[in-house]
Amino acid sequence: QVQLVESGGGLVQPGGSLRLSCAASGFIMDNYAMGWFRQAPGKEREGVSAISSDDSSTYYADSVKGRFTISRDNAKQTVYLQMNSLKPEDTAEYYCATAESTIAAMTQPDYWGQGTQVTVSS
């Protein structure tokens, strides 16, 4: 079955960096777009970034544009989210997701991971 396992979360100071990873299994990742979502306490889950199946297109929420970079390694069945210049408002549970289309990967994905916590605090 489809499994998405996130890792790389943790506690980081404002201005710091983290790289999240998502290991995919149970499907051929080459054929699917991948996305990242986040959910802060008391807030709705929001799409952060997405990448097309062929790595030709990427999308970012305005709140992370210029600070976050999504990438994928289809040979390793892994998608990454490099997060730089982190702010306290980036604190959230981060989820990996997948869908057939890139837009769906950032809005209504078919599958979710279990999440990894990112806390930005001094």
Side-chain angles (χ1 to χ4, degrees), residues 2 24-33 53 72 74 77 98:
V2 172
S25 61
F27 66 107
I28 300 173
M29 202 179 85
D30 304 38
N31 299 330
Y32 291 87
S53 59
R72 62 190 295 157
N74 286 342
Q77 292 268 122
T98 186

Side-chain angles (χ1 to χ4, degrees), residues 1-4 6 25-29 31-37 45 50 95-114:
Q1 72 277 21
V2 172
Q3 279 196 314
L4 300 170
E6 302 92 338
S25 61
F27 66 107
I28 300 173
M29 202 179 85
N31 299 330
Y32 291 87
M34 302 296 295
W36 287 95
F37 287 73
R45 191 173 297 191
Y95 299 88
C96 177
T98 186
E100 290 193 11
S101 75
T102 313
I103 297 300
M106 200 168 159
T107 56
Q108 289 185 311
D110 298 318
Y111 298 96
W112 299 90
Q114 85 289 350

Side-chain angles (χ1 to χ4, degrees), residues 20-22 29 34 36 51 70-72 77-80 96:
L20 305 183
S21 300
C22 171
M29 202 179 85
M34 302 296 295
W36 287 95
I51 186 167
I70 191 170
S71 61
R72 62 190 295 157
Q77 292 268 122
T78 301
V79 62
Y80 305 96
C96 177

